[in-house]
Amino acid sequence: MATVLDQPPTEPQTSPPESSAEETAPVFINRGVVSNPLINKLKSTHTDKGVLIPLKTTQEVRQDHTVVQAWVTRAPTKCANDVIGALRDMKPDGAANPLPHLRRCAKPADLPPHFKTQFMNDSPEGRQIHTSKSTWIYIIIGETKNIDKEELLQTLGAVDGLEQDVFLTSIPVPLLAPTSQVQAAMWSMQFWPTVYRKNNPLGPHPSMVARSTDEIKSDASIWMALAYDVAAKAKQSGIGEAIGAVVVQRDPSGVQLVAVAGDARWHNDSPLNLPHNPMTHCALRAISMVAQKLVRHERRAAGFDMSFANLEYDAFQDAPLLDMEKVCFEQEHPNKDGYLCHGLELYMTHEPCISCSMGILHSRMGKVVFSNHMPRTGGLSSDDRPDDGGRGLGLFWRRELNWSLLAWEWERDGVPELPRLHPTTHV
């Protein structure tokens, strides 16, 4: 096995980024799929097939409806700036608007209907404010847990022009920003006038997801067809389960094949009798083949031969075994100065397991597409696991990790169904 450590190379232009594929990926005009004997026959029959469904992050799945209590007051419109200034002075170290997705000020007519009714009926002043041409405005202050009520009343009471009895109440509001215009409209009717800023605080930016989907949707089915082909051959040859992976590079010259790998967990028996060896899963085999191509180029450029250890037992099985793996492995890497799998795309027949998902992240892959969701063992999806199996990890996009990527599930179209895997199989 050619071992490549996850550390920056010595030359700065190839140093790995520490953020996300979203932030570093360039935008390319689709120049088409570069000719390759392994996929030329597939190009005419497997273009524009299937549907790409972007994965949701753990926060999108579970936390987009978190509701908290927030303080609300009201003031004459001419006093609004004085009130906001007093609130800012009260918390000088805090943000000017601690809930930026909610409008700081709202006219009585813009409130949700149930709040109009509630505020109108709570006092004679409220009825006057809501039944005539209003010169008053409502102001949202911040979460109740972060602001002491007595201190807040004292601050507001010192502002000239407010009611003798300062109006202060708490209402439920969404803690996080909406992820769509539709959701913002719903929240404006249910909670408080809400702003959609065309971003996604819970995951990758919507425009990035949409642009990347458009970028890969035409040829994704070609690479998935190739992954299905190598998966079937891995099963037929007996080296592993019917699982396959394909790695490609997308650059201004087009989309080029980099690596093909089938599962190899049954290729030879482990001396330790270890079943389901995760080191021989197709994703890790494909990543290693990419690394070996880069090492091969470096050694040749330095005048050294590419040599392999003669092992009685190879725990990694990362040498090409199938004919199509060998054909692809002999082809040169299209980006010989690349760093690991930075910015490359991985197409898999099945959702990778947790171990492989972390390997994909550490290799700095840019995009991942898989066809068959593995709800019990997959590592990329955020969906809750069946039968009280816990929550999906959604490893493709976790803020606590130093790398993130874009991921899709591909609805199968035009490729034969593979032999069914047991639900507990780790891919």
Side-chain angles (χ1 to χ4, degrees):
M1 175 191 179
T3 302
V4 178
L5 300 179
D6 186 16
Q7 60 184 14
T10 56
E11 297 184 8
Q13 66 267 27
T14 58
S15 298
E18 295 296 332
S19 51
S20 72
E22 175 199 15
E23 297 172 357
T24 60
V27 178
F28 297 123
I29 299 174
N30 192 343
R31 303 292 185 187
V33 177
V34 176
S35 177
N36 190 297
L38 291 175
I39 51 92
N40 286 342
K41 291 183 179 179
L42 301 175
K43 291 167 66 173
S44 61
T45 56
H46 289 85
T47 301
D48 290 316
K49 295 287 187 72
V51 177
L52 290 167
I53 305 172
L55 295 193
K56 291 186 177 296
T57 67
T58 54
Q59 287 187 310
E60 286 178 296
V61 170
R62 300 180 193 104
Q63 299 180 21
D64 55 340
H65 295 301
T66 300
V67 174
V68 297
Q69 291 291 318
W71 292 120
V72 171
T73 189
R74 66 188 174 204
T77 304
K78 62 182 181 181
C79 300
N81 287 335
D82 294 336
V83 172
I84 294 173
L87 295 173
R88 187 180 295 114
D89 293 339
M90 180 181 170
K91 295 284 186 179
D93 56 339
N97 184 0
L99 298 166
H101 56 288
L102 304 178
R103 294 195 182 280
R104 189 65 187 265
C105 300
K107 297 178 181 179
D110 295 333
L111 296 178
H114 58 286
F115 283 147
K116 291 180 186 177
T117 302
Q118 175 185 333
F119 297 161
M120 182 172 61
N121 294 329
D122 64 356
S123 67
E125 293 82 1
R127 284 190 289 276
Q128 181 180 2
I129 289 170
H130 284 268
T131 55
S132 61
K133 186 175 181 180
S134 180
T135 58
W136 287 69
I137 199 164
Y138 285 89
I139 303 171
I140 194 164
I141 299 171
E143 286 189 69
T144 57
K145 70 175 185 178
N146 297 329
I147 305 173
D148 179 73
K149 182 177 181 180
E150 293 303 319
E151 182 184 1
L152 181 57
L153 287 171
Q154 291 179 8
T155 300
L156 294 174
V159 178
D160 293 335
L162 292 189
E163 300 167 321
Q164 185 175 1
D165 295 325
V166 174
F167 174 84
L168 185 65
T169 189
S170 64
I171 64 170
V173 296
L175 176 61
L176 300 174
T179 59
S180 69
Q181 188 67 55
V182 173
Q183 192 175 54
M186 293 175 59
W187 286 359
S188 295
M189 293 294 293
Q190 182 180 359
F191 297 106
W192 186 266
T194 304
V195 179
Y196 174 58
R197 304 188 186 280
K198 296 184 179 180
N199 63 2
N200 182 3
L202 312 175
H205 197 286
S207 65
M208 171 61 72
V209 176
R211 186 165 62 248
S212 296
T213 302
D214 289 340
E215 188 177 72
I216 70 173
K217 67 181 181 181
S218 174
D219 53 80
S221 49
I222 297 174
W223 311 116
M224 291 303 301
L226 183 61
Y228 267 75
D229 191 10
V230 72
K233 287 180 169 58
K235 180 71 172 180
Q236 293 166 5
S237 66
I239 67 170
E241 296 287 353
I243 309 167
V246 171
V247 178
V248 306
Q249 175 176 298
R250 192 177 303 270
D251 60 28
S253 63
V255 196
Q256 303 181 64
L257 180 63
V258 181
V260 177
D263 183 73
R265 68 189 66 194
W266 311 124
H267 179 54
N268 60 11
D269 295 330
S270 164
L272 300 178
N273 214 11
L274 298 175
H276 306 295
N277 180 3
M279 294 181 289
T280 62
H281 291 181
C282 62
L284 297 187
R285 294 187 70 229
I287 290 170
S288 181
M289 290 179 189
V290 174
Q292 289 180 71
K293 284 189 173 185
L294 294 173
V295 172
R296 182 175 65 194
H297 167 71
E298 291 175 358
R299 292 185 65 84
R300 285 177 178 172
F304 299 109
D305 292 332
M306 186 69 176
S307 58
F308 296 91
N310 185 13
L311 302 176
E312 181 178 352
Y313 172 67
D314 183 0
F316 297 93
Q317 302 298 336
D318 59 349
L321 302 172
L322 303 172
D323 288 342
M324 60 192 311
E325 292 178 352
K326 295 175 182 177
V327 171
C328 185
F329 188 74
E330 290 303 316
Q331 299 169 354
E332 294 300 323
H333 195 301
N335 179 16
K336 298 178 179 61
D337 296 323
Y339 174 76
L340 293 185
C341 295
H342 178 223
L344 302 184
E345 300 172 6
L346 175 65
Y347 295 83
M348 293 186 62
T349 56
H350 297 74
E351 180 185 2
C353 65
I354 295 172
S355 174
C356 288
S357 295
M358 288 304 298
I360 292 166
L361 286 172
H362 285 308
S363 73
R364 301 298 193 263
M365 198 72 70
K367 301 181 180 70
V368 176
V369 182
F370 65 83
S371 180
N372 295 281
H373 176 41
M374 300 297 290
R376 285 180 170 83
T377 62
L380 295 183
S381 174
S382 304
D383 297 334
D384 289 347
R385 302 189 187 281
D387 304 325
D388 296 323
R391 292 177 170 179
L393 296 179
L395 292 175
F396 80 101
W397 193 276
R398 300 281 300 231
R399 290 300 184 186
E400 62 268 36
L401 300 177
N402 68 351
W403 184 255
S404 55
L405 48 82
L406 299 179
W408 296 260
E409 184 174 353
W410 183 74
E411 287 190 349
R412 183 173 63 91
D413 181 19
V415 293
E417 186 173 358
L418 294 171
R420 190 174 300 274
L421 298 178
H422 191 276
T424 61
T425 301
H426 289 258
V427 174

